[in-house]
Amino acid sequence: MMNRNSTKPLRRSGTSLVAMKRLNNTSSFSLAQAPLSAAKTKGGNQPSPTPTYTEFPTSPQPPDDHAGYHANHNGTIVHHTHSKHPLEEITLPELFTCSGCKEFGTGRRYACQDCDFQLHHFCALSPPSLKAHPFHGQHQLVFHAKPKQVKAGIAWPRCDVCCKSTKGFTYRCRVNSCNFQMHPCCAMLSTGIKFPNHPHPLKVLPPGNTLSGGGNDQSGMVCGECKKKRSSGRMYSCTVCDYHLHALCAKSMINGLQEYGITPPEKPNVLGTAARLASQVVIEFIGGLIEGLGEGVGEALVQNIGRGRRSSNGRSIA
């Protein structure tokens, strides 16, 4: 394992190098390289330069089936989306946004020592394709570094598992007539999971709002983690009790947020903000237009309205 004191501090936006050095010298927030897979050698167990293989819940796949990165002898990798600098596997408690999938993460990651480029470990080691994934076993899923085109220039395409926008790395169905897609983090989930905050195993419910056999409406179920209801995205249900969990919330045990007790900040609703700004512009425009008519014209309009009301009342009495 690399000597912690010799590890080069990472550059982080909003975090000074001095602060990073302080983190590096503390025992509870160490900036150290994550352990690499051990290889048996004549001298005993030595760290292997090969990155730890990230196993997705899919059909058996050889560990060398990774066209997305090249492993160096010093334990770093060169990812095809960031070929100008090598990436080092580290563990850091700082919240970050993955440069690949554009989602939050913390803990284990692959980070550039020369710039702010960072990838979730599962994004960095994602295989080029997934065969017979439990969420979409009928077709092969292919890794894409760039998202689909934004629909009508307004809305991003959405993941079929968590129903959040897909703005970066995605797995998409290779069949043109099939629109299934999901984040690499969602691809790490399966139809059956063991969530750390619940003692019983969880099974994913069928897609859609209504359960098979006429069961409860998923949109009315309260998630045991976020205590909210969602009308979209997959839902897990306990096999023993009445506990439910959004797939969106289950991702926290994959991306490191649960392990470090971090709740990501709520991202603003872009469409809602745009609508509010547009309505404010319209109101100000109408107000300026009325003001531009002048007091005389405004008074004439008021008088005409008043005369119209009086004549209408007169006809009603007659």
Side-chain angles (χ1 to χ4, degrees), residues 242-260:
D242 194 31
Y243 178 88
H244 306 290
L245 179 71
H246 295 138
L248 175 64
C249 296
K251 292 168 65 174
S252 65
M253 69 176 183
I254 305 294
N255 56 27
L257 297 181
Q258 186 187 66
E259 180 181 357
Y260 287 87

Side-chain angles (χ1 to χ4, degrees), residues 272-287:
T273 303
R276 286 192 296 271
L277 290 175
S279 62
Q280 183 65 29
V281 169
V282 171
I283 291 173
E284 291 179 356
F285 173 77
I286 294 175

Side-chain angles (χ1 to χ4, degrees), residues 107-173:
R108 184 183 172 197
R109 69 195 78 175
Y110 277 88
C112 182
Q113 298 287 324
D114 298 302
C115 64
D116 286 335
F117 188 89
Q118 302 180 79
L119 294 175
H120 294 119
H121 67 280
F122 47 83
C123 284
L125 306 180
S126 293
S129 63
L130 298 175
K131 183 180 179 182
H133 192 280
F135 285 147
H136 197 71
Q138 63 269 40
H139 301 141
Q140 188 179 29
L141 301 174
V142 180
F143 177 85
H144 289 265
K146 295 183 179 180
K148 284 184 177 180
Q149 287 282 58
V150 178
K151 295 179 181 179
I154 300 176
W156 290 94
R158 291 188 176 273
C159 171
D160 284 281
V161 178
C162 70
C163 208
K164 285 294 186 179
S165 300
T166 52
K167 301 179 180 180
F169 289 2
T170 53
Y171 278 102
R172 300 206 296 265
C173 184

Side-chain angles (χ1 to χ4, degrees), residues 16-253:
S16 66
L17 293 178
V18 175
M20 294 303 299
K21 288 180 180 178
R22 289 174 181 172
L23 286 175
N24 193 27
N25 293 328
T26 59
S27 58
S28 57
F29 297 96
S30 60
L31 176 59
Q33 185 180 17
L36 298 175
S37 57
K40 289 284 185 179
T41 62
K42 187 175 181 180
N45 290 336
Q46 299 294 332
S48 167
T50 304
T52 305
Y53 174 55
T54 299
E55 184 176 355
F56 285 77
T58 182
S59 58
Q61 203 161 358
D64 58 350
D65 186 16
H66 291 72
Y69 68 87
H70 169 74
N72 297 324
H73 292 293
N74 60 357
T76 63
I77 67 171
V78 177
H79 199 270
H80 71 98
T81 60
H82 192 71
S83 57
K84 57 183 178 181
H85 301 141
L87 305 179
E88 182 179 2
E89 186 181 4
I90 64 167
T91 299
L92 189 70
E94 182 186 32
L95 182 71
F96 74 101
T97 299
C98 176
S99 302
C101 68
K102 314 302 181 186
E103 293 204 303
F104 289 120
T106 190
R108 184 183 172 197
R109 69 195 78 175
Y110 277 88
C112 182
Q113 298 287 324
D114 298 302
C115 64
D116 286 335
F117 188 89
Q118 302 180 79
L119 294 175
H120 294 119
H121 67 280
F122 47 83
C123 284
L125 306 180
S126 293
S129 63
L130 298 175
K131 183 180 179 182
H133 192 280
F135 285 147
H136 197 71
Q138 63 269 40
H139 301 141
Q140 188 179 29
L141 301 174
V142 180
F143 177 85
H144 289 265
K146 295 183 179 180
K148 284 184 177 180
Q149 287 282 58
V150 178
K151 295 179 181 179
I154 300 176
W156 290 94
R158 291 188 176 273
C159 171
D160 284 281
V161 178
C162 70
C163 208
K164 285 294 186 179
S165 300
T166 52
K167 301 179 180 180
F169 289 2
T170 53
Y171 278 102
R172 300 206 296 265
C173 184
R174 67 180 306 170
V175 179
N176 292 332
S177 59
C178 181
N179 295 319
F180 183 90
Q181 62 177 331
M182 61 180 169
H183 298 109
C185 185
C186 293
M188 293 288 290
L189 297 172
S190 187
T191 52
I193 62 172
K194 186 68 173 66
F195 194 64
N197 288 354
H198 189 70
H200 307 140
L202 305 177
K203 294 290 184 182
V204 73
L205 297 174
N209 288 334
T210 304
L211 303 183
S212 59
N216 294 325
D217 190 351
Q218 291 185 32
S219 62
M221 295 178 179
V222 177
C223 174
E225 187 69 10
C226 68
K227 312 302 180 187
K228 297 178 181 179
K229 299 178 182 179
R230 281 176 58 84
S231 59
S232 56
R234 302 298 294 271
M235 173 80 82
Y236 287 94
S237 182
C238 180
T239 58
V240 179
C241 64
D242 194 31
Y243 178 88
H244 306 290
L245 179 71
H246 295 138
L248 175 64
C249 296
K251 292 168 65 174
S252 65
M253 69 176 183

